[in-house]
Amino acid sequence: MWKYFKEMERILSVQELNDLATEVAEAYADPRGTYETTKKMLAEEFEMTPNIVDKLLDYAVVHSLVSSAVVYRMEKRAEKNQSRYSPDKKAHSVHTHYSELRRKRIEYQICMLTEVEIREVAVRFAENSQITKEDLAISYGLDKSSIDVILKKAITENICDDETFKKIERRSLAVNGDPQVKEFFNQLRKRREATKKNFFA
């Protein structure tokens, strides 16, 4: 029986660990069956402690081993289980935990991209108004919410050129020209200029 996650990381190859984390996460999220899957049940099935199940579930989310849809089902399962078994019957801590996991997941996805890929995403979004953020996310195997962060990074870190930035701004304002959106792009422009100054300082 597995008792420690660190032991797992030491003994298993990255691929084996990824495969196991994916299998556990998908089993936890699986909507089929008449019973509600719990971490304790999975621990017995996979011959490990409930604590390791917890770590594998988090690992699968952060490392993008499962889709956004699976993450959503995992969160809903956790909320349901917590409301059944916790004394206060609240799912607030589950929501907070999954929000943090999603933040780390986006960070991980963006860290895995090269500057060339980030520039490519920005150019594709700027040049083709028919391509949606969801289309881009699917083509790069990312979450839709990662695209906004990538575009922001491309602009503020001067990964894309000025013309691409202008096209992204025009496209975005055509969809939503609210003062807040205009101010958002003004802030991006200021950060972009500051980055240029620091680079050439």
Side-chain angles (χ1 to χ4, degrees), residues 1 12 18-19 26 39 47 50 56 59 63 66 71 86 107 125 150 166 176 179-180 183 191 200:
M1 172 186 259
L12 299 178
N18 287 355
D19 289 345
E26 287 178 346
K39 291 170 186 175
E47 298 182 343
L56 285 171
Y59 181 91
H63 290 83
V66 291
V71 176
S86 69
E107 279 180 10
F125 181 78
I150 291 167
K166 286 175 189 170
N176 185 352
Q180 306 96 290
E183 181 54 28
R191 287 174 61 187
F200 291 110

Side-chain angles (χ1 to χ4, degrees), residues 21-23 25-26 57 60-61 63-71 74 105 109 143:
T22 302
E23 188 179 357
E26 287 178 346
L57 294 176
V61 174
H63 290 83
S64 294
L65 301 177
V66 291
S67 69
S68 297
V70 169
V71 176
M74 287 168 66
R105 178 181 173 94
Q109 288 180 354
D143 288 8

